Amino acid sequence: QLQLVESGGGSVQPGGSLRLSCVASGSTLDYYAMGWFRQAPGKEREMVSCISTTSTNIKYLDSVKGRFTASRDNAKNMVYLQMNGLKPEDSGVYYCAAALGWGCSGMDYWGKGTLVTVSS
């Protein structure tokens, strides 16, 4: 049973930065593609990033390209999302999720989420 726990959310001013972390337990992350998703009130959940098992393929939502960086450290069973130049529209609950396989469709495990609020 894979467990995922996010941390690093909070409130920040526009233009600020946050780094989200996700720690996994119960299994090694070597076999999982890892995604970050977010959901703002009244909007659909969207995939922010997807990173393959060995970091050879990383995808980003168009609106965060150049500002967000996803990474992983399989030896530590950790994944990260560095968020720079934050905008109010980045606000929402961010979820860490794992898919057994290459891609980030049909995620198998989800964290409970961490809230990010970007406002003046």
Side-chain angles (χ1 to χ4, degrees):
Q1 191 76 43
L2 184 68
Q3 303 283 343
L4 302 172
V5 180
E6 305 96 335
S7 63
S11 296
V12 65
Q13 299 289 322
S17 297
L18 287 172
R19 189 173 92 155
L20 305 183
S21 298
C22 174
V23 62
S25 61
S27 182
T28 176
L29 288 183
D30 289 353
Y31 306 106
Y32 296 90
M34 299 299 299
W36 286 98
F37 295 76
R38 70 185 182 191
Q39 187 165 26
K43 295 185 178 181
E44 294 183 349
R45 184 181 64 197
E46 58 187 353
M47 186 174 69
V48 177
S49 67
C50 177
I51 182 168
S52 62
T53 55
T54 56
S55 303
T56 56
N57 192 337
I58 306 175
K59 298 179 179 179
Y60 295 97
L61 182 68
D62 283 345
S63 62
V64 309
K65 289 180 179 178
R67 298 188 296 119
F68 291 11
T69 303
S71 60
R72 66 191 296 161
D73 187 339
N74 288 349
K76 295 182 178 180
N77 254 17
M78 297 283 293
V79 294
Y80 309 93
L81 185 68
Q82 178 67 47
M83 305 186 295
N84 298 325
L86 284 163
K87 304 174 181 179
E89 52 264 44
D90 294 319
S91 298
V93 178
Y94 283 69
Y95 300 91
C96 175
L100 185 60
W102 176 86
C104 290
S105 61
M107 309 307 291
D108 299 301
Y109 301 95
W110 294 83
K112 294 181 179 180
T114 185
L115 179 64
V116 172
T117 302
V118 185
S119 67
S120 299

